[in-house]
């Protein structure tokens, strides 16, 4: 079937979807643009990007996500507050009603891949009722060639119907919204939310299960790039910590901005695009990402737009602070076309410290790296999740707890083994607050963070002088070109030193309390680093 075919029903019967009206099968960007405008789903901005709104949910609906409890995956899932079980029978009944909802409706299908490494990539299918969600999937995943489409057999399918709502009393959901993963049926169903991030994070969760379990491949919530000398670096961190910003460096080639695997050959991207947070984006600070907001094919999610001039305002947070741009990697000028890189020389763990007591950069021992990886400390930035209106301190396992279905020890052991085997240098970088906690201090300047990361990656920082932090036991550099010396040690930036000591002591206590749940699964030298 050719890319521009419009057909009826072909192939969807295998998923139980029948009697649909028009089915737009892997349509290209231009066709999707026409349908977005025709159906009133979005507005065309003056330089070619399409602006859309997601409605009630402007971030992930974390409390509405479930995993079906069924025999093939039951023993592997780390059940708890994040990975909540959902009855198999309830899933079948809910999906049956979704299939009835889809009858007679136009549907959009994208047949594509997750995973740049051809040896490990996963053929996927994304079925949506909105054209812009189909464009999002086309941007975010790896497009199949026309020849590949002839033989494309999805191994996992996402069915996303935002206008279909669950009935909590009947379906057993928490609300009308649901994101449910079924490993036995190789399917994700989404309803009641138009936030497109649920599609990509659903597939990320799938890969975080399949790759470690079936292939012993490390799955990571990280960005990655490659330097002029061929040195790969990976950046762990939750949304809003700077993964996309710091990895989009004009002097380094981007592998990917959010999700990667690490096998015996090196690092490979899971995606074919980027989903960048763009509130207050500027041409001066982030030129590569800024230019993507002015290009055909980019989806601007919840970005303010003048309905007459069609000019967008990237500083306007009237809809949400979690404004997003979805664009194909080819919109970035300096990328690794294959989506693959070698084994990392450096690992950067990004945190957004709302308490303002962690240093802007610190070198980690292997034990500290394991501790901070499992801890996944950061702050949830306003708008990233439903209900979060200001930065809130949190610990998210492996810097991606909501998307990690396995026991954290599985990911921790894989990472520890690879760090040791490839002699990787690890760093902790705070892109959060300096000079005081949130509300008193100020957010770390992007320019400072870039200078520190660049010095870490080119080796100059590692060759310098370090001092030991008294509270966290971290090695802090005493000098870095482009960064004032007093910024490097966070205690020096606080006017009230006693208040700093009190706040740092409190955060150390939070780290220790959180890490108790990992102590039985890690060596003593890891458990006792702080």
């Amino acid at each position: 079937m050719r890319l521009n075919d419009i057909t009826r029903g072909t192939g969807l019967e295998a998923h139980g979807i029948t009697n649909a009206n028009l089915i737009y099968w892997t349509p290209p960007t231009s066709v999707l643009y026409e349908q977005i405008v025709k159906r009133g789903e979005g507005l065309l901005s003056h330089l070619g990007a399409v602006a859309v709104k997601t409605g009630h949910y402007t971030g992930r609906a974390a409390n509405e996500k479930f995993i079906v409890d069924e025999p093939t995956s039951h023993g592997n899932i780390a059940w708890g507050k994040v990975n909540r079980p959902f009855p198999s029978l309830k899933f079948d009944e809910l999906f049956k009603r979704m299939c009835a909802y889809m009858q007679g409706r136009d549907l959009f299908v994208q047949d594509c891949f997750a995973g740049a490494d051809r040896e490990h990539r996963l053929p996927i299918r994304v079925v949506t009722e909105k054209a812009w969600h189909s464009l999002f999937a086309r941007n975010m995943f790896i497009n199949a060639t026309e020849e590949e489409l002839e033989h494309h057999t999805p191994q996992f399918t996402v069915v996303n119907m935002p206008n279909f709502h669950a009935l909590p009393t009947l379906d057993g959901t928490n609300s009308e919204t649901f994101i449910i993963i079924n490993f036995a049926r190789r399917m994700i169903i989404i309803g009641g939310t138009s936030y497109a991030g649920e599609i990509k994070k659903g597939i990320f969760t799938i890969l975080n299960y399949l790759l470690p379990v079936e292939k012993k491949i490390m799955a990571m919530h990280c960005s990655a790039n490659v330097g002029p000398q061929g040195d790969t670096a990976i950046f762990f961190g939750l949304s809003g910590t700077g993964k996309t910003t710091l990895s989009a460096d004009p002097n380094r080639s981007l592998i990917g901005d959010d999700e990667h695997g690490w096998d015996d050959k090196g690092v490979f991207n899971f995606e074919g695009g980027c989903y960048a947070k763009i509130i207050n984006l500027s041409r001066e600070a982030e030129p590569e990402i800024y230019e993507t907001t002015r290009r055909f094919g980019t989806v601007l999610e919840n970005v303010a737009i003048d309905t007459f001039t069609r000019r967008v305002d990237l500083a306007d947070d009237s809809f949400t602070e979690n404004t997003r741009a979805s664009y194909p990697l080819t919109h970035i000028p300096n990328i690794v076309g294959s989506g693959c890189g070698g084994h990392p020389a450096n690992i950067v763990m990004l945190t957004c410290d709302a308490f303002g007591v962690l240093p802007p950069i610190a070198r980690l021992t292997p034990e500290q790296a394991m501790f901070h990886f499992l801890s996944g400390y950061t702050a949830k930035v306003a708008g990233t999740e439903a209900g979060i209106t200001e930065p809130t301190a949190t610990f998210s396992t492996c810097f991606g707890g909501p998307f990690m279905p396995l026991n954290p020890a599985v990911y921790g052991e894989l990472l520890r083994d690879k760090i040791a085997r490839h002699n990787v240098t690890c760093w902790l970088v705070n892109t959060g607050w300096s000079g005081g906690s949130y509300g008193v201090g100020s957010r770390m300047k992007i320019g400072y963070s870039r200078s520190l990361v660049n010095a870490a990656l080119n080796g100059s920082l590692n060759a310098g002088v370090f001092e030991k932090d008294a509270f966290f036991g971290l090695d802090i550099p005493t000098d870095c070109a482009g960064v004032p010396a007093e910024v490097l040690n966070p205690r020096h930036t606080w006017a009230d030193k006693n208040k700093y000591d009190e706040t740092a002591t409190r955060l150390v206590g939070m780290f220790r309390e959180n890490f108790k749940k990992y102590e039985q699964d890690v060596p003593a030298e890891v458990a006792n680093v702080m």
Side-chain angles (χ1 to χ4, degrees):
M1 181 177 299
R2 299 186 63 82
L3 289 175
N4 61 349
D5 281 350
I6 298 178
T7 187
R8 292 176 181 267
T10 307
L12 294 186
E13 295 89 345
H15 312 301
I17 302 171
T18 58
N19 299 323
N21 189 39
L22 287 176
I23 298 179
Y24 293 76
W25 206 276
T26 317
T29 300
S30 56
V31 170
L32 291 170
Y33 257 62
E34 291 171 353
Q35 292 302 316
I36 290 168
V37 174
K38 177 182 177 181
R39 295 163 191 265
E41 295 179 4
L43 297 176
L44 189 63
S45 70
H46 78 296
L47 288 175
V50 63
V52 300
K53 300 293 185 291
T54 63
H56 176 68
Y57 286 99
T58 58
R60 289 186 302 104
N63 293 328
E64 320 305 332
K65 182 179 177 182
F66 301 90
I67 297 176
V68 173
D69 189 358
E70 46 78 27
T72 68
S73 61
H74 175 84
N76 294 324
I77 304 296
W79 301 107
K81 292 182 179 179
V82 172
N83 300 311
R84 285 167 294 194
F86 195 81
S88 181
L89 181 60
K90 287 290 187 182
F91 177 93
D92 293 343
E93 293 173 346
L94 179 57
F95 183 60
K96 189 177 297 183
R97 293 213 327 276
M98 284 188 79
C99 289
Y101 169 84
M102 287 182 273
Q103 292 192 27
R105 296 180 183 273
D106 292 353
L107 298 176
F108 297 85
V109 179
Q110 287 290 337
D111 278 345
C112 43
F113 298 97
D117 189 321
R118 289 179 173 271
E119 182 182 353
H120 306 304
R121 70 183 187 176
L122 182 73
I124 62 174
R125 172 170 289 170
V126 182
V127 182
T128 67
E129 64 177 319
K130 290 183 179 293
W132 82 261
H133 281 144
S134 193
L135 178 56
F136 175 88
R138 185 170 181 82
N139 282 347
M140 297 311 303
F141 300 116
I142 296 169
N143 294 171
T145 65
E146 188 170 351
E147 182 179 357
E148 288 170 336
L149 286 173
E150 295 285 345
H151 309 286
H152 189 280
T153 303
Q155 294 182 24
F156 239 96
T157 299
V158 180
V159 181
N160 181 29
M161 299 289 130
N163 292 333
F164 174 81
H165 297 86
L167 301 172
T169 55
L170 176 66
D171 298 314
T173 56
N174 291 330
S175 72
E176 295 179 338
T177 300
F178 58 90
I179 304 96
I180 308 176
I181 297 171
N182 191 327
F183 286 103
R185 292 191 61 169
R186 315 286 282 192
M187 182 176 288
I188 304 170
I189 60 174
I190 302 170
T193 173
S194 290
Y195 181 64
E198 301 290 9
I199 298 172
K200 76 177 240 92
K201 291 305 184 186
I203 291 298
F204 183 34
T205 304
I206 296 304
L207 292 173
N208 284 346
Y209 177 89
L210 296 178
L211 292 179
V213 169
E214 297 181 355
K215 298 189 176 185
K216 305 302 179 186
I217 292 173
M218 179 65 182
M220 306 174 292
H221 187 205
C222 70
S223 56
N225 62 25
V226 178
Q229 306 304 316
D231 58 300
T232 297
I234 59 178
F235 301 75
F236 286 108
L238 295 177
S239 297
T241 58
K243 291 194 315 301
T244 299
T245 297
L246 293 174
S247 58
D249 188 321
N251 298 314
R252 297 177 66 86
S253 298
L254 182 69
I255 299 174
D257 85 320
D258 199 43
E259 301 162 1
H260 292 79
W262 187 356
D263 64 6
D264 290 337
K265 301 187 295 293
V267 171
F268 62 95
N269 192 5
F270 286 167
E271 302 178 300
C274 298
Y275 190 42
K277 188 173 183 182
I278 58 171
I279 191 68
N280 293 319
L281 189 73
S282 72
R283 177 185 276 122
E284 294 72 28
E286 300 169 269
E288 290 82 10
I289 301 174
Y290 181 85
E291 287 304 318
T292 69
T293 68
R294 303 156 65 83
R295 292 193 59 176
F296 179 82
T298 294
V299 178
L300 299 178
E301 196 178 67
N302 295 316
V303 174
I305 182 171
D306 186 300
T307 56
F308 179 72
T309 66
R310 300 298 176 91
R311 294 182 180 275
V312 299
D313 183 353
L314 301 181
D316 190 327
D317 63 356
S318 55
F319 295 106
T320 178
E321 288 192 21
N322 191 36
T323 56
R324 297 275 179 166
S326 164
Y327 50 89
L329 272 168
T330 49
H331 277 20
I332 298 289
N334 194 19
I335 63 170
V336 178
S338 67
C340 301
H343 297 292
N346 289 277
I347 289 176
V348 177
M349 298 184 186
L350 298 164
T351 181
C352 174
D353 177 27
F355 291 103
V357 294
L358 285 174
I361 195 167
R363 185 176 59 192
L364 302 177
T365 66
E367 293 76 22
Q368 288 173 327
M370 183 56 53
F371 181 93
H372 284 281
F373 175 69
L374 289 174
S375 297
Y377 168 71
T378 189
K380 290 180 181 177
V381 181
T384 302
E385 289 185 11
I388 301 298
T389 57
E390 63 181 33
T392 304
T394 188
F395 293 91
S396 184
T397 304
C398 307
F399 291 101
F403 327 116
M404 303 294 179
L406 305 176
N407 188 306
V410 174
Y411 307 106
E413 286 298 322
L414 283 169
L415 183 66
R416 183 173 67 169
D417 175 68
K418 289 184 178 296
I419 288 174
R421 188 184 307 177
H422 302 290
N423 193 30
V424 184
T425 303
C426 298
W427 305 88
L428 181 69
V429 172
N430 173 27
T431 61
W433 277 258
S434 177
S437 299
Y438 171 75
V440 176
S442 57
R443 190 79 188 261
M444 191 70 61
K445 293 182 179 180
I446 293 176
Y448 291 168
S449 294
R450 283 197 185 280
S451 295
L452 291 165
V453 168
N454 288 340
L457 301 189
N458 66 30
S460 62
L461 198 63
N462 198 29
V465 177
F466 289 77
E467 61 180 346
K468 186 70 70 175
D469 162 71
F471 293 91
F472 303 96
L474 299 169
D475 287 338
I476 302 175
T478 59
D479 182 68
C480 179
V483 182
E486 63 271 16
V487 172
L488 296 173
N489 188 320
R491 192 173 188 272
H492 296 164
T493 68
W494 281 54
D496 187 339
K497 302 297 190 289
N498 290 332
K499 185 66 174 178
Y500 172 88
D501 295 346
E502 175 188 322
T503 307
T505 299
R506 183 155 61 99
L507 183 56
V508 167
M510 293 174 64
F511 268 103
R512 289 173 175 166
E513 181 63 28
N514 173 74
F515 206 80
K516 287 180 179 178
K517 59 180 174 282
Y518 308 122
E519 288 179 348
Q520 63 182 8
D521 297 320
V522 301
E525 58 269 25
V526 174
N528 297 322
V529 300
M530 190 178 295

